[in-house]
Amino acid sequence: MKNEVFHSFLREQKLYKIISRIAKYVSISFLIIYLYLLFSASYTASPLIVVINYLAILTSFSGIITFKYFEIPTLLLAVFTEGKSAEFFQLDPEEKQFIWRKAGREDVLPPNPTPEYINTNLHLNDRYPWKRIGKIYSVGYLVVILTSIFYLTSVYLETGFQN
C-alpha cells in the first residue's frame, strides 16, 4: 500500500515534468511563428501577429499556473483535509523527507510530524485551491489555444499568410 502511495507521488512529479516540457515546446513554437510573421514585411500590423503574441503570453502565464498546481505534492495537500489518516503518514521517513523537500522545504521533517506541523509550515490554511484553479485554467487554455490554432490554420489555408 505505501509503495503505491509513494509511486502516486512519483507519477505526479513525472506529470509535472511532462506538462512543463509540453508548455515549453508550445511556447517555442509560437515564438518561431511570431518571429516568422514579424520579419515578413507585410505582417507587421497584421492581426495574426497579435494572435500569436497573445498565445505566447498566455502560454508563458501557464507556467505560473503549472508551478502553483504542482508546488505542493498532493500527498501533503491531503494532510490538510484528512489529518492523521492521510496516506502521507503511511510512508517511510526517507520517503516523507523526499516529498517534504519537493514541497520546497529545506528543513528536516521531524520523525513523527503532526498534521498541524505540516499545515502550519506549508501554510495550507491560507493556500488557494490551486488544483481546482489549474483544472479550470487548463480547460480555458485548451479552448483558447484550439480556437486560435483553428483560426491561424484557416487563414493560412485561405491566404498562405499573404495579403
Side-chain angles (χ1 to χ4, degrees), residues 2-3 5-6 87-99 109 111:
K2 70 180 172 183
N3 271 345
V5 171
F6 189 69
E87 293 177 328
F88 176 76
F89 294 107
Q90 300 170 8
L91 298 173
D92 295 332
E94 306 85 42
E95 293 171 336
K96 287 180 187 175
Q97 185 64 45
F98 182 74
I99 293 170
L109 186 66

Side-chain angles (χ1 to χ4, degrees), residues 5-161:
V5 171
F6 189 69
H7 286 295
S8 72
F9 163 74
L10 293 176
R11 280 192 304 272
E12 180 181 69
Q13 292 301 305
K14 184 178 180 182
L15 178 63
Y16 172 60
K17 287 179 182 179
I18 290 169
I19 289 174
S20 296
R21 192 173 298 135
I22 289 171
K24 180 174 70 172
Y25 293 143
V26 169
S27 185
I28 289 170
S29 299
F30 288 140
L31 175 65
I32 291 169
I33 294 170
Y34 176 74
L35 290 174
Y36 167 75
L37 293 173
L38 182 65
F39 290 113
S40 67
S42 61
Y43 289 101
T44 54
S46 171
L48 295 174
I49 293 289
V50 174
V51 170
I52 294 295
N53 209 2
Y54 286 143
L55 290 176
I57 292 169
L58 182 65
T59 302
S60 297
F61 180 73
S62 298
I64 296 169
I65 300 294
T66 302
F67 170 75
K68 293 302 283 183
Y69 186 91
F70 290 102
E71 180 181 29
I72 298 178
T74 305
L75 287 172
L76 285 172
L77 288 175
V79 171
F80 179 67
T81 55
E82 299 173 18
K84 195 70 173 167
S85 63
E87 293 177 328
F88 176 76
F89 294 107
Q90 300 170 8
L91 298 173
D92 295 332
E94 306 85 42
E95 293 171 336
K96 287 180 187 175
Q97 185 64 45
F98 182 74
I99 293 170
W100 185 249
R101 290 195 187 276
K102 282 293 186 178
R105 303 299 303 195
E106 292 300 321
D107 55 332
V108 177
L109 186 66
N112 293 314
T114 64
E116 294 76 27
Y117 178 84
I118 292 171
N119 288 336
T120 302
N121 282 289
L122 295 179
H123 305 286
L124 296 180
N125 297 329
D126 303 329
R127 185 172 168 77
Y128 286 113
W130 286 108
K131 295 290 184 184
R132 185 169 177 248
I133 292 169
K135 289 174 184 171
I136 293 168
Y137 180 83
S138 295
V139 170
Y141 175 78
L142 286 174
V143 168
V144 170
I145 291 293
L146 293 175
T147 303
S148 299
I149 289 173
F150 176 76
Y151 170 72
L152 291 171
T153 304
S154 67
V155 168
Y156 179 75
L157 292 175
E158 288 177 15
T159 65
F161 292 144

